[in-house]
Amino acid sequence: MKPDLFQAPDYYNLDELLTDEHKLVRDAAREWVKRDVSPIIEEYAQRAEFPEQIIEGLAGIGAFGPYIPEEYGGAGLDQISYGLIMQEIERGDSGVRSTASVQSSLVMYPIWKYGTEEQRQKYLPKLASGEWMGCFGLTEPDHGSNPGGMTTNYKDMGDHYLLNGAKMWISNAPFAQVAVVWAKNEEGRIHGLIVERGMEGFSTPETHNKWSLRASATGELIFDNVKVPKENLLPNKTGLGAPLGCLDSARYGIAWGAIGAAMDCYDTALRYSKERTQFGKPIGGFQLQQKKLAEMITEITKAQLLTWRLGVLRNEGKATSAQISMAKRNNVDMAINIAREARQMLGGMGITGEYSIMRHMMNLESVITYEGTHDIHLLITGFDVTGLNAFK
Ligand SMILES: Cc1cc2nc3c(=O)[nH]c(=O)nc-3n(C[C@H](O)[C@H](O)[C@H](O)COP(=O)(O)OP(=O)(O)OC[C@H]3O[C@@H](n4cnc5c(N)ncnc54)[C@H](O)[C@@H]3O)c2cc1C
C-alpha cells in the first residue's frame, strides 16, 4: 500500500469552531491512525482478519468510551471529541471504527446508562482499557429492520434466567468476552442481558465470505439454554427504546466516521489527479475530473457542518433521534458516492489495494446497511416531518 500522505480537507475553516481539546484529541487519533493503522490495514482486510494488536492503541486514543466518565475508565470527553475520534478512525478503516463504535456505544453505553453500579464497576474499566472486548446482539436471522419482532427470549428460573435464541451479523462477536444481548421476557418485554464468554450453551460462530468490513470480525450469537445470573440483567431501561438509545449514540458516531472515509477518498483522488498525466497533462486539469473533485469537497463540507451542529445539539442534550438519522443517512450516502467517484478517478489503479478507496467503498456498503438501512432512515425522517408512520 502507498504511504499515508493524508491531508484533511477543511474548506470552510471548521477548525475555528473546535476547542483546543477537540483539536488535541483529533490530532492524536490522526497520528495514531497514520502510524499504527494505515501501514497494516490493507493486508488485514485482504486476509479478512481483525488486527487485534491495535486494541491497545484504540484504548490509548480514548476510542473506547470517549464520553464515559473517567471514574469508570472512560475519557470523559464531549460529543464533538467523540465524533472526531470516530472520524479519524474511519479515515483509516470503517471496520476498525465499527469495533470502536460497538465497544463504546453499544456495550459501554447501555451498561453505563441502564446498568447497576456493580455492573458499571465490574465491566466499564475493563472495556475502556480494551482488556475486555464487547459485542451487541440485537439483529436476528428473521428480524433486522424490525428488531421489535425478535424471538430471542429468557425465562425466570428462580435463581437465574434461561436464555434461548440466536443473533446474526454481530460485530466483534468472534472475540468478544462480553455480549449485551436484547431478549424478551415471558411477558414479551425487551430487556438487556450481559452474557459472558464461557457460559454454557453460548457460542459465537464467525461469519465468513464478506466483501465488506473485512478487517472487522462478524459473527452469530447462539444461546442454547444459557443460564444467565440474575445480576446480569440491565434493570434501568426496558422496551425497544433501550437498544434504540444505544443506536442513537452509535449512529451519531457513524455520521462523523463516514466523513473520515469520504475525506480519505477525496484526498487520495485529489493527489492522484495532480500526479497522473494523460494526453500530455495532469488528469486534474480536465473539466470532468474537476467536476468530481468540486462536488466531493462541497458534499464533505456540507456534511462537516451538519455533523458539527449535531454535536453541539448532543452536547446540550437536545439532539433528537430523527436528527441523528438524517445525519447518518446523509453522510454515509455522501461517503459512498464519493468513494465510487474517487475510485473511477484512479482508473485501473483504483481497484487495487495500493490505494484505500476500493476498501472504503466496499466497507461503506455495510455502513449504509447497518444501524438502520438508508431507506429506514428516510422513513424515520418522513415519519418525523409528517407524523404519519410509513413503516407498516
Ligand atoms: C457487517 C455488519 C455488521 C453488523 N453488526 C451488527 C451488530 O453488531 N449488532 C447487531 O445487532 N446488528 C448488526 N448488523 C445488522 C444490521 O443492523 C442489519 O443488517 C440491518 O439492520 C438490516 O437488517 P437486515 O439485514 O435483516 O435487512 P432487512 O431488514 O431484511 O431489510 C432488507 C431491505 O428491506 C428494506 N426494508 C425493511 N423494512 C422496510 C420497510 N418497512 N419499508 C421499506 N423498506 C424496508 C431495508 O431497507 C433493506 O433494503 C450488522 C450488519 C452488517 C452487514
Side-chain angles (χ1 to χ4, degrees):
M1 196 177 161
K2 296 270 181 211
D4 185 351
L5 303 172
F6 177 68
Q7 289 190 330
D10 183 13
Y11 203 72
Y12 265 33
N13 301 338
L14 290 171
D15 263 20
E16 290 176 11
L17 298 174
L18 303 179
T19 64
D20 287 344
E21 181 174 73
H22 293 149
K23 286 185 266 195
L24 268 174
V25 166
R26 193 250 339 255
D27 293 348
R30 185 169 292 168
E31 282 312 306
W32 176 76
V33 168
K34 271 199 177 188
R35 196 186 62 231
D36 286 3
V37 178
S38 299
I40 56 125
I41 195 63
E42 180 64 30
E43 192 188 325
Y44 277 83
Q46 295 274 2
R47 290 212 305 256
E49 191 182 326
F50 172 69
E52 292 198 20
Q53 72 274 22
I54 66 171
I55 287 176
E56 203 183 321
L58 279 167
I61 59 164
F64 297 152
Y67 51 80
I68 301 283
E70 285 169 295
E71 59 179 303
Y72 300 119
L77 297 167
D78 77 347
Q79 290 290 312
I80 290 181
S81 288
Y82 160 43
L84 288 164
I85 293 172
M86 296 299 117
Q87 171 188 286
E88 294 306 315
I89 298 174
E90 191 148 0
R91 207 279 299 171
D93 188 78
S94 306
V96 178
R97 199 270 306 137
S98 300
T99 296
S101 287
V102 168
Q103 183 87 342
S104 297
S105 291
L106 302 182
V107 181
M108 296 177 73
Y109 179 90
I111 294 173
W112 175 45
K113 284 286 179 187
Y114 315 146
T116 62
E117 189 55 31
E118 291 71 34
Q119 290 168 341
R120 291 185 198 122
Q121 298 286 353
K122 178 177 176 187
Y123 294 103
L124 293 179
K126 286 197 166 74
L127 291 163
S129 69
E131 183 182 341
W132 283 355
M133 294 300 293
C135 67
F136 172 91
L138 180 66
T139 305
E140 299 187 350
D142 294 329
H143 300 94
S145 300
N146 176 26
M150 71 174 67
T151 57
T152 298
N153 65 88
Y154 65 92
K155 289 193 172 60
D156 189 336
M157 307 302 282
D159 62 344
H160 65 271
Y161 297 120
L162 199 64
L163 178 66
N164 277 289
K167 300 287 178 180
M168 193 177 177
W169 295 118
I170 308 304
S171 304
N172 299 356
F175 57 77
Q177 281 84 6
V178 178
V180 170
V181 177
W182 300 95
K184 285 180 176 165
N185 66 11
E186 286 148 285
E187 286 79 49
R189 184 90 184 149
I190 295 171
H191 286 255
L193 295 158
I194 304 172
V195 179
E196 291 186 29
R197 185 172 296 284
M199 288 181 176
E200 212 180 317
F202 174 44
S203 57
T204 60
E206 184 158 2
T207 303
H208 296 289
N209 290 332
K210 291 181 301 170
W211 284 114
S212 174
L213 289 195
R214 288 171 62 81
S216 155
T218 314
E220 295 168 55
L221 305 177
I222 314 278
F223 313 105
D224 180 10
N225 286 320
V226 180
K227 285 183 181 174
V228 180
K230 285 202 148 171
E231 65 264 23
N232 284 26
L233 186 88
L234 297 174
N236 296 332
K237 186 149 182 171
T238 67
L240 195 57
L244 291 183
C246 308
L247 293 180
D248 270 357
S249 177
R251 289 167 177 172
Y252 167 76
I254 293 169
W256 281 92
I259 296 175
M263 291 198 307
D264 197 47
C265 293
Y266 164 77
D267 180 59
T268 304
L270 178 63
R271 192 171 310 107
Y272 191 84
S273 77
K274 294 176 188 170
E275 291 166 357
R276 176 70 175 168
T277 300
Q278 287 294 292
F279 299 97
K281 67 176 187 182
I283 60 167
F286 295 113
Q287 286 184 357
L288 286 173
Q289 305 309 315
Q290 288 190 5
K291 176 174 186 288
K292 290 188 204 298
L293 291 166
E295 286 177 350
M296 284 181 206
I297 190 60
T298 306
E299 290 307 313
I300 289 170
T301 304
K302 282 153 68 179
Q304 286 172 324
L305 282 162
L306 181 75
T307 314
W308 177 81
R309 174 65 187 151
L310 187 63
V312 172
L313 290 173
R314 289 237 349 138
N315 277 342
E316 293 169 352
K318 293 197 294 207
T320 66
S321 300
Q323 286 170 333
I324 295 167
S325 275
M326 180 186 280
K328 191 266 183 186
R329 180 177 185 274
N330 180 78
N331 291 9
V332 179
D333 191 52
M334 172 278 296
I336 205 167
N337 287 329
I338 286 178
R340 287 170 182 156
E341 293 290 308
R343 200 221 56 72
Q344 290 190 56
M345 287 189 66
L346 267 69
M349 288 310 292
I351 71 150
T352 73
E354 284 291 297
Y355 294 89
S356 55
I357 297 176
M358 186 82 178
R359 179 166 44 79
H360 282 306
M361 192 175 112
M362 295 195 300
N363 282 341
L364 288 162
E365 292 291 346
S366 286
V367 181
I368 205 165
T369 292
Y370 69 24
E371 305 259 359
T373 68
H374 188 64
D375 285 343
I376 291 296
H377 286 296
L378 182 89
L379 294 178
I380 292 172
T381 306
F383 185 14
D384 197 45
V385 297
T386 65
L388 303 169
N389 184 350
F391 283 91
K392 46 189 176 181

